[in-house]
């Protein structure tokens, strides 16, 4: 039997995460991802995924120090970034820069290597932005934790604690999500016993595709269209009737509201400001779910993480062309975790294809 896209095919066992699409639950190493995002830092959850347990105080301090010591962008990587054509988008830049990183041990993949790749992404994004905009590259610092450092590198300014919390919530909730397309790419590459940089590069190349990593930008376009029309129900209904995909709604796995979307929504509500955009997002969510139930009954199409991710990233003044790059900055933790798990009990991925072309007899 052929399963296009390998949908529903189980090809490995994992201890990393579990998605319960019916109940709307996401579990990291036995813990609710929503609870982790509320109560723990980026470094703590990264440690959990890489090591299997939450860190003790000493372990957390060591991990934070490793992050800080690994974030200086080497000059050779700066040279590469400078010479990438201006027409290339940020995911192409990340893919090329990450592939060039010299890791600790090319023969054995280590958690330090995973930390290095994760730590360098803010600097890569920031340096490329400074090259493109001809602005000053921010001074690299070692006094900020990872998410605060990312915001600082984007703006050159001291980030507020509320902004750090909002982004940290988003980045923890998008850190890992089972055997999605980019994670599968990473594991396939790792299964050949290739190096971590190559596996991460494969994952970024997959993330670059709009069917996987581009949805938050699409949500911005959707909300802009609705704001211009000033008719929420009419605009949504027309899009659905025209066969357009409502970006930010529906998920291949979740049959109820994406738990990540719920957690981000709660963070926005807890830190709510006078923001017409957030109010619009709340109204669009309610109306879209009603319209989808009317026009597509039984499909169970609810809000996914990209919908409220777009609201968070816009609130933080992160430009839309960096949305998927920010997603990548968090998902690097999940990719590297899966690579290490793949190598614990490795079998090379080698599925079969059924030939449906002609076979010619010799003339």
């Amino acid at each position: 039997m052929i399963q296009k896209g390998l949908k529903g095919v189980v090809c490995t066992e994992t201890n990393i995460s579990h998605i319960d699409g019916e109940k709307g639950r996401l579990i990291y190493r036995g813990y609710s991802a929503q609870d982790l995002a509320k109560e723990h830092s980026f470094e703590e959850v990264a440690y959990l995924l890489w090591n299997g347990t939450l860190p003790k105080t000493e372990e957390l301090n060591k991990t934070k120090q490793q992050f800080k010591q690994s974030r200086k962008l080497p000059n050779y990587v700066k040279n590469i970034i400078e010479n990438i054509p201006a027409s290339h988008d940020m995911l192409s830049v990340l893919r090329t820069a990450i592939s060039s990183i010299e890791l600790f041990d090319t023969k054995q993949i280590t958690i330090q290597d995973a930390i290095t790749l994760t730590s360098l992404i803010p600097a890569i994004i920031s340096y490329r932005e400074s090259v493109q905009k001809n602005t000053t590259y921010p001074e690299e610092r070692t006094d900020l934790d990872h998410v605060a450092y990312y915001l600082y590198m984007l703006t050159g300014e001291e980030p507020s604690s509320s902004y750090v919390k909002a982004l940290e919530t988003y980045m923890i909730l998008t850190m890992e999500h089972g055997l999605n397309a980019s994670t599968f790419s990473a594991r396939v590459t790792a299964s050949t016993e290739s190096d971590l940089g190559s596996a991460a590069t494969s994952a970024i190349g997959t993330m670059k595709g709009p069917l996987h990593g581009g949805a938050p930008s699409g949500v911005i376009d959707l909300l802009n269209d609705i704001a211009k029309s000033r008719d929420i129900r009419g605009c949504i209904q027309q899009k659905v009737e025209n066969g357009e995909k409502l970006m930010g709604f529906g998920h291949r796995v979740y049959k109820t509201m994406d738990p990540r979307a719920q957690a981000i929504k709660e963070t926005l509500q807890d830190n709510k400001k006078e923001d017409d955009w957030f109010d619009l997002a709340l109204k669009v969510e309610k109306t879209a779910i009603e319209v989808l139930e009317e026009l597509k009954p039984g499909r169970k199409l609810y809000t996914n993480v990209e919908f409220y991710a777009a609201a968070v990233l816009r609130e933080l003044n992160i430009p839309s062309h960096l949305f998927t790059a920010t997603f990548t900055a968090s998902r690097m933790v999940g990719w590297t975790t899966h690579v290490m798990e793949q190598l614990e009990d490795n079998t090379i991925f080698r599925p079969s294809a059924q030939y449906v072309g002609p076979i010619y007899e010799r003339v």
Side-chain angles (χ1 to χ4, degrees):
M1 183 174 67
I2 298 172
Q3 287 285 6
K4 290 190 175 181
L6 302 180
K7 182 178 180 180
V9 175
V10 177
C11 61
T12 191
E13 293 181 322
T14 183
N15 289 314
I16 299 170
S17 68
H18 171 63
I19 305 165
D20 186 333
E22 294 297 329
K23 295 181 180 179
R25 298 171 65 202
L26 174 60
I27 304 297
Y28 291 173
R29 301 284 195 186
Y31 297 92
S32 162
Q34 289 173 272
D35 292 342
L36 290 170
K38 291 177 183 177
E39 300 167 9
H40 296 277
S41 67
F42 182 94
E43 288 89 345
E44 284 178 288
V45 182
Y47 184 98
L48 169 67
L49 289 175
W50 286 327
N51 294 277
T53 60
L54 284 167
K56 297 176 182 177
T57 301
E58 183 179 336
E59 293 166 332
L60 177 59
N61 291 338
K62 180 181 178 181
T63 299
K64 287 186 174 183
Q65 193 61 30
Q66 286 174 298
F67 266 86
K68 292 171 181 177
Q69 292 173 345
S70 304
R71 61 178 49 151
K72 183 174 178 59
L73 195 62
N75 288 331
Y76 73 87
V77 180
K78 291 180 179 178
N79 291 335
I80 290 171
I81 293 171
E82 290 168 6
N83 285 285
I84 295 174
S87 60
H88 281 44
D89 61 23
M90 189 60 77
L91 266 288
S92 297
V93 173
L94 282 170
R95 179 192 62 206
T96 303
I98 287 294
S99 71
S100 74
I101 302 297
E102 183 179 16
L103 296 175
F104 178 73
D105 189 338
T106 57
K107 295 181 180 179
Q108 181 180 2
I109 293 173
T110 66
I111 291 175
Q112 176 58 60
D113 289 338
I115 290 173
T116 296
L117 294 184
T118 306
S119 298
L120 283 172
I121 290 180
I124 293 169
I125 293 171
S126 175
Y127 193 74
R128 177 64 171 185
E129 285 286 276
S130 69
V131 169
Q132 290 285 78
K133 297 178 180 178
N134 195 27
T135 55
T136 301
Y137 176 58
E139 181 181 352
E140 292 167 343
R141 296 168 53 176
T142 58
D143 60 321
L144 297 172
D145 288 342
H146 184 69
V147 176
Y149 184 67
Y150 182 39
L151 278 175
Y152 161 74
M153 292 300 285
L154 289 181
T155 64
E157 299 176 357
E158 202 73 26
S160 71
S161 59
S162 62
Y163 275 23
V164 171
K165 179 58 182 174
L167 183 58
E168 193 160 46
T169 297
Y170 167 73
M171 293 184 75
I172 289 172
L173 291 166
T174 54
M175 194 179 280
E176 159 60 13
H177 204 243
L179 204 61
N180 55 80
S182 55
T183 299
F184 184 58
S185 290
R187 290 191 77 133
V188 169
T189 301
S191 77
T192 69
E193 297 187 356
S194 187
D195 60 283
L196 184 61
S198 295
T201 301
S202 296
I204 294 170
T206 306
M207 178 69 83
K208 186 174 182 288
L211 293 183
H212 186 26
S217 299
V219 173
I220 296 292
D221 295 336
L222 171 67
L223 293 176
N224 281 332
D225 288 346
I226 292 172
K228 289 176 185 176
S229 75
R230 299 185 179 180
D231 179 5
I232 295 176
R233 175 171 285 273
C235 185
I236 292 172
Q237 188 165 331
Q238 183 179 39
K239 286 179 179 292
V240 175
E241 290 175 343
N242 290 342
E244 296 180 42
K245 178 176 172 57
L246 283 187
M247 303 305 290
F249 292 88
H251 195 279
R252 189 169 183 174
V253 177
Y254 295 112
K255 306 307 177 188
T256 183
M257 185 174 181
D258 186 331
R260 300 169 298 171
Q262 182 63 40
I264 295 172
K265 178 180 177 180
E266 290 172 4
T267 299
L268 281 169
Q269 289 173 320
D270 290 344
N271 297 279
K272 191 176 184 306
K273 301 177 181 178
E274 292 299 322
D275 189 342
D276 291 339
W277 182 272
F278 182 51
D279 289 339
L280 175 64
L282 289 171
K283 293 174 183 176
V284 168
E285 178 190 32
K286 181 177 183 296
T287 304
I289 290 173
E290 291 173 355
V291 171
L292 288 167
E293 182 58 34
E294 292 169 8
L295 300 182
K296 296 180 180 290
R299 290 283 302 277
K300 297 182 179 180
L301 298 171
Y302 299 96
T303 321
N304 63 37
V305 68
E306 285 84 9
F307 186 80
Y308 280 109
V312 164
L313 297 175
R314 182 185 178 278
E315 174 72 15
L316 299 179
N317 298 315
I318 295 176
S320 60
H321 72 275
L322 295 183
F323 283 7
T324 309
T326 304
F327 190 173
T328 300
S330 62
R331 187 56 61 83
M332 183 61 73
V333 176
W335 292 335
T336 51
T337 303
H338 275 271
V339 168
M340 289 186 282
E341 183 181 68
Q342 177 65 35
L343 296 179
E344 289 173 2
D345 183 22
N346 187 47
T347 299
I348 188 171
F349 284 96
R350 179 59 173 87
S352 299
Q354 181 173 309
Y355 178 68
V356 295
I359 297 177
Y360 300 107
E361 301 294 334
R362 286 186 63 186
V363 178

